[in-house]
Amino acid sequence: MSRAGAYTLTAVVVAATGLYAATDGLRALTAEAARRVQIQETRPAVPPFVVEGLQGRRHALRPDSNQVVMVEFIYTTCPTICQTAGGDFAALRDRAVDRGLPVRMLSVSFDPAADGLSELRDYADRHGADGDVWSVARLRPADLQDALRFFRVKAVPDGWGGYQHNAAVLLIDPDGLLVAAYDTGDFDRILAHVEQLS
Amino acid sequence: MNTVLLSTLCFGAALVLQPMARLDPVAHMLLQYPVLGVSGYLLGLKMPTAPDLRGPLLVLGITCVGFWMLPRSLDAALDSPGMHLAKLVTLPLLAGLPLGMSVPRVGAVLRGFLKAQSLSMLGVLSFLYSHAPIRICNSYLIEDQQRLGAGFLWLAGGLSLLWAVPLFLGHSLMPDLLLQRKKHHDLC
């Protein structure tokens, strides 16, 4: 092979290796896919974030005892994706209860300025989140930025007073590690993972 | 105009575009990226290059462009200050510069292949961004993502005119500055 050919071939190998590494082994071309791959691989410990529940009671986001916590981030005035996500969460709750899985589900508002306790209650009523397995809460303003950064939630104002955001179901295992993120409608894989954790 | 001055102006324009790039993927990918690339490309035109290095330089430039075209890189450049800085450094120096040093000096057949390849890639990107049912970038609204898809198509249309019209007219539409290859007499 000519010298130029050898140099070029070497460059191609180096370039392909670089792109392979930059896409987590061709698994993640988007930031959202990267988030999911990296959560599964690093399993970061959830910091002691405190959320404010429907009765104004504060509780930790981390699991109490031998349970798995499913978290989704929402804002309650959302007309589209959160309503779908809310519907998905209701379906997920029904299936988890049917299977008798030790799970707690939390819809957490990332917009505590707009979502007062009455807005959270409306949202809970609308979706049948009775607080038994599934409850609705909001982040405290003090924790907001840290929590959005930790869970890698990105909410972009949509110009109509709402947001477009990377909705997902996040799984926290009984040890308080964030172990996975799934599409909100990916019931089978979510429940299989919860079963395996509990 | 002086090449270095023009290159500096392009880089300055990229810095001025930053607030727009944050809000609008079209400004980010179709305005800021290109001016960053051009600022390095112009410098590359003036650099002496050993013929053996043209291939590797071409691969380096294409890879760097490819990396920054990944949707996750677009997000990362907005979310992380380190990646923002990396974008400002690598698009001129690792994409534009090596492409400027190689593209005008490679053979006409390879250059034509690269042009055809970039047009078809722009078409694929256009389809991806305008038809994806999900948001591809977490930093941008889905409506803007679809506008970006349309933008890719306009760019592909514009470039194909720019490259095809001279074939009928017998001379290029590009300014002489960008046509260094004529001086090098190494068309194959």
Side-chain angles (χ1 to χ4, degrees):
Chain A
M1 192 193 291
S2 70
R3 210 163 47 160
Y7 287 164
T8 306
L9 197 63
T10 312
V12 168
V13 172
V14 172
T17 312
L19 286 179
Y20 186 81
T23 53
D24 288 297
L26 299 181
R27 285 175 298 168
L29 304 184
T30 65
E32 186 57 18
R35 174 201 194 205
R36 295 178 186 193
V37 166
Q38 287 161 9
I39 285 174
Q40 292 225 5
E41 277 175 5
T42 59
R43 303 161 63 91
V46 178
F49 296 125
V50 172
V51 295
E52 202 175 3
L54 287 181
Q55 275 71 45
R57 203 167 52 90
R58 294 181 171 189
H59 51 97
L61 203 58
R62 292 166 58 108
D64 294 331
S65 52
N66 194 26
Q67 60 181 179
V68 177
V69 178
M70 285 185 205
V71 181
E72 60 164 4
F73 285 92
I74 57 155
Y75 70 101
T76 67
T77 50
C78 179
T80 55
I81 194 167
C82 309
Q83 303 306 339
T84 318
D88 285 346
F89 232 37
L92 200 53
R93 187 259 324 265
D94 295 342
R95 289 168 199 223
V97 169
D98 282 349
R99 294 201 199 181
L101 295 175
V103 66
R104 181 159 69 96
M105 300 170 63
L106 261 181
S107 294
V108 180
S109 165
F110 58 72
D111 191 10
D115 287 335
L117 293 182
S118 67
E119 280 82 9
L120 296 183
R121 253 194 301 275
D122 284 349
Y123 183 89
D125 289 346
R126 205 154 59 227
H127 294 292
D130 54 16
D132 194 13
V133 171
W134 174 17
S135 49
V136 181
R138 61 178 184 173
L139 284 165
R140 291 184 311 164
D143 283 340
L144 186 61
Q145 289 314 319
D146 288 342
L148 296 186
R149 199 170 308 120
F150 175 78
F151 290 107
R152 295 163 70 169
V153 172
K154 188 137 190 194
V156 187
D158 67 3
W160 302 91
Y163 304 89
Q164 286 183 12
H165 59 105
N166 51 346
V169 172
L170 303 159
L171 295 190
I172 304 175
D173 79 354
D175 297 326
L177 304 181
L178 177 62
V179 292
Y182 290 104
D183 281 337
T184 59
D186 205 352
F187 303 142
D188 293 336
R189 286 173 65 209
I190 296 171
L191 291 170
H193 199 158
V194 171
E195 216 149 36
Q196 176 210 323
L197 290 172
S198 51
Chain B
M1 201 185 327
N2 180 315
T3 310
V4 177
L5 179 62
L6 202 57
S7 162
T8 312
L9 280 179
C10 283
F11 190 77
L15 298 181
V16 173
L17 283 168
Q18 183 55 29
M20 268 174 81
R22 181 161 285 287
L23 294 173
D24 181 359
V26 180
H28 197 177
M29 232 188 205
L30 296 184
L31 283 177
Q32 195 190 38
Y33 274 25
V35 288
L36 283 171
V38 167
S39 79
Y41 191 92
L42 292 172
L43 297 179
L45 293 176
K46 298 281 179 186
M47 295 250 200
T49 315
D52 282 354
L53 291 179
R54 285 177 199 152
L57 286 168
L58 190 62
V59 172
L60 171 66
I62 292 172
T63 308
C64 186
V65 171
F67 171 80
W68 286 109
M69 296 292 270
L70 290 173
R72 64 182 285 184
S73 306
L74 211 61
D75 268 328
L78 296 175
D79 290 340
S80 133
M83 287 295 278
H84 171 61
L85 203 63
K87 181 184 78 178
L88 294 180
V89 173
T90 59
L91 274 177
L93 296 184
L94 297 185
L97 185 79
L99 289 177
M101 291 166 76
S102 54
V103 171
R105 297 166 196 171
V106 298
V109 173
L110 177 55
R111 204 166 45 244
F113 170 78
L114 291 171
K115 286 177 179 173
Q117 194 62 26
S118 28
L119 291 182
S120 60
M121 273 313 296
L122 287 171
V124 169
L125 284 167
S126 167
F127 177 73
L128 174 71
Y129 279 84
S130 54
H131 284 71
I134 55 162
R135 283 164 71 228
I136 297 173
C137 287
N138 282 344
S139 308
Y140 295 119
L141 301 175
I142 193 148
E143 302 84 58
D144 292 335
Q145 166 176 316
Q146 288 159 356
R147 267 195 317 114
L148 178 60
F152 277 122
L153 205 58
W154 280 105
L155 181 61
L159 283 177
S160 49
L161 280 181
L162 186 72
W163 288 333
V165 168
L167 301 178
F168 297 98
L169 298 182
H171 62 81
S172 174
L173 297 180
M174 301 288 266
D176 288 343
L177 182 66
L178 297 174
L179 294 173
Q180 299 292 306
R181 63 174 182 270
K182 293 230 167 99
K183 286 186 210 152
H184 288 268
H185 302 293
D186 53 12
L187 292 167
C188 70

